[in-house]
């Protein structure tokens, strides 16, 4: 039998081999004779590969004069790594992107900052320290630059000629465009609309019945993208000068639940800080829905550090996620593990862990008993909590922390008496009962006791049943996590973007508080900070005469409580129940772009006059946006009378604009960037045009882009902070602001001068970094400091050396505010629709609407048997569909399902299927994937596009056909849900209002695939 099988296999191989040879007969013939065949390659050895940018042979460094290599930043994703861009001098085109060895987001360890540019190249040679300082870029970073040269790029200003959304445009001169949007009028034959000149009324209330809503100038709103280096300038220089409080980025559709939950934990809703693990030294990592290197941020650095830690170090880690991501690997044995979980139930898993930690007293009691910074210093520690602070349980002060005139009071563990927290070293940690302060008796419990009560609200078995992870695993992970002292860490990010994500993120961080890992080597880090940039030693670029000081209600109803409105006060005065409000309010949320269009359509708190978007794509990025926002934004009379988009492409959002202003792309742009944490030293990455922008220009030669448009518009409106005396030096001198370089070269100068100023750049540094062309502008703007500014530009920023990361067992840069085991701001805020107080510490809630109706009842399992989740792509991203090279790496996306689940539904690999939710549906090809929780389906984000070249567009009567390659894939956000408790609203996190894109109940069925058009 074996012999016959062997003969069969050999015979089959011979047949297949013969067929293969026959198919490649001509090719093999050419190879065997070493003759030419087809198009001749440029080089016999290297074929058509570009020449190297430099050579380093026998210690002789020779730059290739055909190219220049400039240090800048990649903005292919939100990590914004420092890179070096190889540019052909003759064509001024980007040829290749390399890592910047000075920048810690691309290299670890990174080369010392004062290393000469020439030496930075020789260090990377084979005779240098290549293995130590190797600097790289990811697949996306070395492909995304192709979007610069994309055929669908907008290069001239456009005005719509059809109805909104028809994608019909005509080119218009920028001067005429600015005239029209400033003056307003009947611009489209659809009736008069207000121009910006009339909207800018900073005196008249936008709603006379609610003066707190602010002036009519609040009728302008800007929705931007991520903080890519220009956003702050637009806010402080244009919007605050105009007099509007309405500006927001993309956080509400990205990671707001995580950011808000961590802000609650860290007690800072103003700056919204967040923490990341110290990957270099942590002994145990518990990552919730955030596989390092695929999700979270900074992507590349986290992935690199985790790989090193699991091979060269001694880390153990567990990834809790509905899908097996890129972080888990069998190559490191039991050092890594995957714990499958149902999306949206992470909170149950973590609350179960907290129950175990508290019940078995696995927490650091001495640490939690320190009630103040004074106690922290006395104990030689580097962080502290409010675990011992007393929370009032009854009466008008319910939810507040008990204080005297000097601050919080606690029970001294030494004698059980009430004392100021600042005077106590160790306080009572677990207490529920009465205390008397200044003759008044209060019913109180410590913040820790409130946490303990909430953790014990359900049994461990009930938590287990909710999340689908057995109780034994929860117990083991809790014990494991606490067994490493302070060298254990946790992480979470986009997986928390569901209706209870705020408390999920808060709870995940609470695990760290149990062991006291904040500011510890191997624990949790707030990041290394940055050098002073916009407000620095030489200039305050945010300060100018006439800057508006508007205190107004934002269109998204964030940063203010409903209880401050006249509507609330009138109901209260009339003896009525002031709840519900007409809609939700979010006092400690920073911004909600996903609420702008719907709130304007409702006229609550008011209606907008003008929407300005800056590289934003909220129509694609908002889960459920196509289900309700699309109809509102199509009609100028419903939500936004005038819509102006600044965008290098016509995407799913800007196609509904009235005007499109072109923008610079990637390496054509200016910017100053800070990292997102995940690092321990100061970091500023700078960006400036290293190639000539391709779009049309203003009369002064400036390319039309966001900053130049802002300057021109500010001048046209005669806004404060624009014109000849726009920028004030700290020495009292005034300077003009006519170009973007007038702002950003001064920002770079501030960075160069902060602390101990950087050295002067040498002529060799300037030449090798390709910034010769900036020398005249540097001399004109920076004067005596021009070489110091050039020093920063030559290195792509300023980076503190790696040796500054730690002070013994502590981080060098520490978070100084106390950890909030109980957050008073949260605990005294009420749900504006129900009137119920939010829990001031973590508590379990199942997936729900804002009013508390459970998803389990609204979407029963017999109708919606699966739970859908979206996951971050390590290649694709929303803003980069026009990067054609990315499609050569990853062509499309799928609906991923466990093979056992597919069999249960009668589905096979490659079937064309439809996912159906309560309010929408999406389609795609099915891919069987073993590493998916059997009760779920997953979709990789970033595909299934309807913009950026995916659909037809007409400009000046000429139609450009969309590319099927850009349209392919799955558009996950089409399954987003509406909240039945609210008017014109999507489901959100019920506490902070973030767009709920995860944990969507769905059904699945096979359908016929779409027919391709001839």
């Amino acid at each position: 039998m074996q012999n016959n099988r062997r003969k069969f296999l050999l015979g089959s191989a011979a047949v297949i081999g013969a067929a293969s040879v026959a198919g490649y007969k001509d090719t093999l013939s050419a190879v065997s004779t070493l003759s030419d065949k087809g198009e001749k390659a440029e080089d016999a050895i290297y074929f058509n590969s570009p020449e190297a940018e430099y050579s380093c042979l026998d210690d002789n460094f020779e730059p290739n004069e055909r190219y220049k290599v400039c240090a800048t930043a990649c903005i292919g994703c939100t990590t914004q790594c420092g890179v070096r861009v190889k540019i052909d001098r003759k064509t001024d085109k980007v040829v290749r992107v390399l890592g910047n060895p000075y920048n810690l987001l691309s290299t670890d360890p990174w080369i010392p900052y004062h290393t000469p540019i020439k030496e930075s190249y020789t260090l990377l040679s084979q005779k240098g320290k290549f293995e130590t300082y190797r600097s790289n870029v990811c697949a996306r970073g070395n492909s995304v630059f192709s979007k610069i040269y994309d055929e669908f790029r907008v290069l001239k200003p456009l005005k719509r000629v059809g109805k909104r959304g028809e994608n019909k445009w005509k080119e218009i001169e920028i001067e005429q465009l600015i005239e029209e949007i400033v003056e307003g009028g009947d611009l489209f034959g659809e009736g008069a609309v207000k121009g910006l000149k009339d909207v800018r009324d900073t005196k008249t209330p936008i709603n006379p019945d609610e003066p707190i809503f602010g002036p009519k100038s609040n009728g302008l709103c800007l929705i931007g993208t991520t903080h890519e280096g220009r956003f702050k300038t637009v806010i402080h220089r244009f919007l605050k000068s105009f007099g509007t409080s309405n500006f927001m980025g993309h956080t509400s559709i990205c990671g707001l639940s995580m950011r808000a939950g961590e802000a609650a934990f860290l007690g800072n809703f103003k700056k919204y800080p967040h923490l990341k693990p110290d990957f270099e030294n942590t002994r145990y990592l518990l990552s919730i829905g955030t596989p390092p290197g695929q999700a979270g941020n900074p992507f590349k650095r986290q992935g690199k550090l985790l790989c090193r830690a699991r091979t060269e170090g001694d880390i153990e880690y567990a990834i809790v996620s509905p899908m097996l991501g890129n972080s888990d690997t069998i190559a490191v044995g039991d050092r890594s593990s995957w714990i499958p979980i149902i999306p949206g139930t992470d909170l149950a898993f973590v609350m179960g862990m907290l129950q175990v930690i508290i019940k078995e007293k696995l927490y650091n009691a001495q640490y939690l008993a320190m009630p103040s910074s004074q106690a922290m210093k006395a104990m030689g520690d580097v962080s502290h909590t409010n675990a011992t602070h007393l929370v009032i349980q009854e009466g008008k002060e319910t939810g507040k922390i008990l204080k005297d005139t000097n601050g919080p009071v606690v029970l001294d563990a030494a004698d059980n008496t009430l004392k100021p927290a600042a005077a106590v070293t160790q306080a009572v940690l677990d207490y529920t009962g009465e205390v008397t302060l200044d003759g008044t008796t209060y019913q109180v419990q410590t913040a820790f006791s409130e946490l303990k009560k909430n953790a014990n609200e359900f049994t461990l078995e009930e938590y287990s049943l909710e999340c689908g992870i057995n109780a034994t695993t929860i117990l083991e992970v809790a014990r494991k996590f606490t067994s490493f002292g302070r060298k254990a860490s946790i992480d979470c990010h986009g997986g928390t973007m569901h209706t209870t994500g705020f408390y999920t993120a808060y709870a995940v961080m609470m695990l760290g508080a149990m062991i006291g890992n904040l500011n510890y080597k191997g624990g949790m880090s707030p990041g290394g900070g940055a050098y002073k940039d916009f407000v620095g030693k030489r200039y305050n670029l945010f300060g100018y005469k006439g800057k508006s000081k508007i205190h107004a209600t934002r269109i998204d109803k964030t940063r203010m409580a409903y209880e401050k409105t006249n509507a609330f006060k009138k109901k209260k005065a009339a003896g009525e129940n002031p709840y519900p409000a007409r809609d939700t309010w979010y006092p400690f949320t920073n911004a909600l772009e996903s609420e702008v269009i719907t709130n304007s359509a409702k006229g609550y708190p008011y209606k907008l006059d003008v929407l300005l978007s800056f590289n934003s794509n909220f129509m694609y990025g908002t889960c459920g946006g196509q289900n309700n926002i699309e109809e509102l934004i199509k009609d100028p009379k419903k939500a936004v009378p005038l819509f102006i988009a600044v965008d290098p492409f016509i995407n799913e959002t800007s196609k509904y604009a009235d005007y499109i202003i072109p923008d610079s792309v990637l390496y054509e742009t200016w910017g100053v960037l800070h990292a997102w944490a995940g690092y321990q030293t100061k970091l500023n990455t700078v960006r400036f045009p290293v190639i000539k922008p391709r779009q049309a220009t203003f009369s002064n030669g400036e390319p039309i882009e966001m900053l130049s448009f802002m300057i021109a518009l500010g001048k046209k409106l005669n806004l404060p902070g624009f014109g000849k005396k726009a920028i004030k030096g700290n020495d009292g001198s005034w300077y003009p602001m006519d170009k973007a370089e007038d702002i950003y070269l001064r920002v770079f100068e501030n960075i160069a001068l902060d602390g101990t100023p950087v050295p002067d750049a040498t002529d060799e540094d300037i030449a090798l970094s390709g910034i010769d062309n900036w020398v005249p502008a540097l001399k004109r703007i920076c004067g005596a400091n021009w070489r110091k500014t050039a020093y920063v530009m030559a290195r792509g920023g300023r980076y503190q050396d790696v040796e500054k990361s730690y002070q013994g067992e502590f981080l060098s840069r520490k978070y100084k505010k106390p950890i909030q085991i109980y957050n008073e701001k949260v605990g005294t805020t009420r749900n504006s629709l129900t009137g119920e107080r939010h829990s001031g510490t973590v508590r379990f809630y199942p997936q729900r609407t804002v009013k508390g109706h459970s998803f389990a009842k609204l979407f029963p399992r017999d109708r919606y048997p699966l739970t859908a989740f979206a996951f971050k792509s390590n290649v694709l991203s929303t803003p980069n569909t026009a990067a054609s090279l990315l499609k050569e790496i990853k062509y499309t996306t799928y609906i991923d399902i466990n093979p056992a689940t597919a069999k249960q539904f009668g589905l096979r690999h490659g079937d064309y299927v439809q996912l159906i939710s309560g309010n929408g549906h999406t389609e795609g090809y099915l891919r069987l994937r073993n590493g998916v929780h059997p009760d779920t389906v997953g979709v990789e984000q970033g595909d299934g596009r309807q913009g950026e070249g995916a659909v037809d567009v007409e400009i000046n009567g000429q139609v450009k056909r969309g590319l099927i390659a850009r349209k392919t894939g799955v558009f996950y956000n089409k399954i987003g849900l509406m909240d039945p408790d609210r008017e014109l609203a999507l489901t959100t996190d019920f506490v902070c209002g973030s767009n709920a894109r995860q944990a969507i109940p769905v059904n699945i069925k096979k359908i016929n695939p779409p027919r391709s058009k001839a």
Side-chain angles (χ1 to χ4, degrees), residues 675-741:
W676 279 68
Y679 66 107
Q680 318 306 339
T681 51
K682 288 183 180 181
L683 160 69
N684 302 70
T685 306
V686 305
R687 200 174 71 246
F688 51 94
V690 297
I691 55 174
K692 183 180 179 180
R694 296 182 59 219
Q695 66 271 32
T697 65
F698 283 93
S699 58
N700 66 351
E702 279 289 278
I704 301 169
E705 47 89 37
M706 185 65 218
L707 297 173
S708 60
F709 170 66
M710 173 196 75
I711 292 170
L713 193 55
K715 288 181 178 180
K716 180 73 175 178
L717 290 165
N718 293 314
L719 296 183
F722 291 86
K724 292 183 178 180
K725 290 188 175 182
I727 299 171
K728 187 178 181 180
N730 291 339
D731 62 357
S733 302
W734 287 96
Y735 305 93
M737 186 176 68
D738 297 314
K739 299 181 178 182
E741 65 191 44

Side-chain angles (χ1 to χ4, degrees), residues 161 167-170 952-960:
V161 293
N167 236 352
K168 295 180 179 179
W169 310 87
K170 69 175 181 180
D952 297 350
V953 59
E954 180 183 309
I955 300 176
N956 295 338
Q958 300 294 312
V959 176
K960 187 181 288 291

Side-chain angles (χ1 to χ4, degrees), residues 697-945:
T697 65
F698 283 93
S699 58
N700 66 351
E702 279 289 278
I704 301 169
E705 47 89 37
M706 185 65 218
L707 297 173
S708 60
F709 170 66
M710 173 196 75
I711 292 170
L713 193 55
K715 288 181 178 180
K716 180 73 175 178
L717 290 165
N718 293 314
L719 296 183
F722 291 86
K724 292 183 178 180
K725 290 188 175 182
I727 299 171
K728 187 178 181 180
N730 291 339
D731 62 357
S733 302
W734 287 96
Y735 305 93
M737 186 176 68
D738 297 314
K739 299 181 178 182
E741 65 191 44
D742 294 330
I743 303 170
Y744 279 87
L745 290 182
R746 289 183 168 92
V747 177
F748 300 168
E749 185 180 356
N750 272 345
I751 294 170
L753 297 177
D754 190 32
T756 302
V758 302
D760 288 350
T762 64
D763 289 343
E764 183 179 63
D765 276 357
I766 292 169
L768 290 177
S769 59
I771 59 172
D772 322 56
N773 58 314
W774 286 108
V775 170
L778 282 165
K779 289 180 177 179
R780 175 178 63 84
I781 293 171
C782 303
N785 295 320
W786 80 267
R787 283 189 179 272
K788 296 187 185 302
T789 309
Y791 194 93
V792 171
M793 294 172 69
R795 288 155 178 78
R798 188 172 178 185
Y799 318 104
Q800 195 173 31
D801 287 342
V802 66
E803 290 78 16
K804 302 292 185 180
S805 300
Y806 305 100
Q807 295 173 340
E809 285 301 304
F810 308 138
L811 305 181
S812 292
R813 183 175 182 268
K814 304 169 183 67
Y815 187 78
K816 296 179 180 179
K817 288 179 175 286
I819 288 172
Q820 305 292 290
I821 303 299
Y822 176 89
N823 188 292
E824 186 179 66
K825 176 76 173 176
V826 178
T828 54
T829 296
R830 294 183 181 273
N831 182 316
S832 59
L833 296 187
T834 65
E836 64 178 329
R837 281 193 307 111
H838 293 310
S839 175
T841 190
V842 298
R843 185 182 181 189
F844 173 71
Y845 298 89
Q847 294 301 301
R848 50 169 281 177
T849 65
V850 172
K851 282 189 176 180
H853 297 118
S854 74
F855 274 23
K857 290 183 179 180
L858 290 171
F859 310 105
R861 295 282 291 182
D862 60 339
R863 292 183 59 196
Y864 303 98
L866 300 173
T867 304
F869 66 94
F871 61 93
K872 184 82 72 175
S873 173
N874 60 349
V875 176
L876 304 173
S877 63
T878 303
N880 297 320
T881 296
S884 56
L885 287 178
L886 281 175
K887 281 291 181 180
E888 297 184 16
I889 301 171
K890 177 163 284 188
Y891 185 77
T892 192
T893 57
Y894 307 91
I895 294 172
D896 289 329
I897 195 168
N898 189 289
T901 310
K903 185 177 181 180
Q904 177 186 341
F905 282 84
L907 300 172
R908 301 176 65 183
H909 182 78
D911 282 349
Y912 195 73
V913 298
Q914 185 177 64
L915 288 183
I916 309 106
S917 73
N919 296 106
H921 58 82
T922 192
E923 294 74 38
Y925 285 98
L926 196 69
R927 180 170 65 179
L928 303 191
R929 187 167 178 169
N930 283 303
V932 176
H933 192 291
D935 292 335
T936 71
V937 286
V939 176
E940 187 173 5
Q941 289 180 311
D943 236 337
R945 302 301 301 273

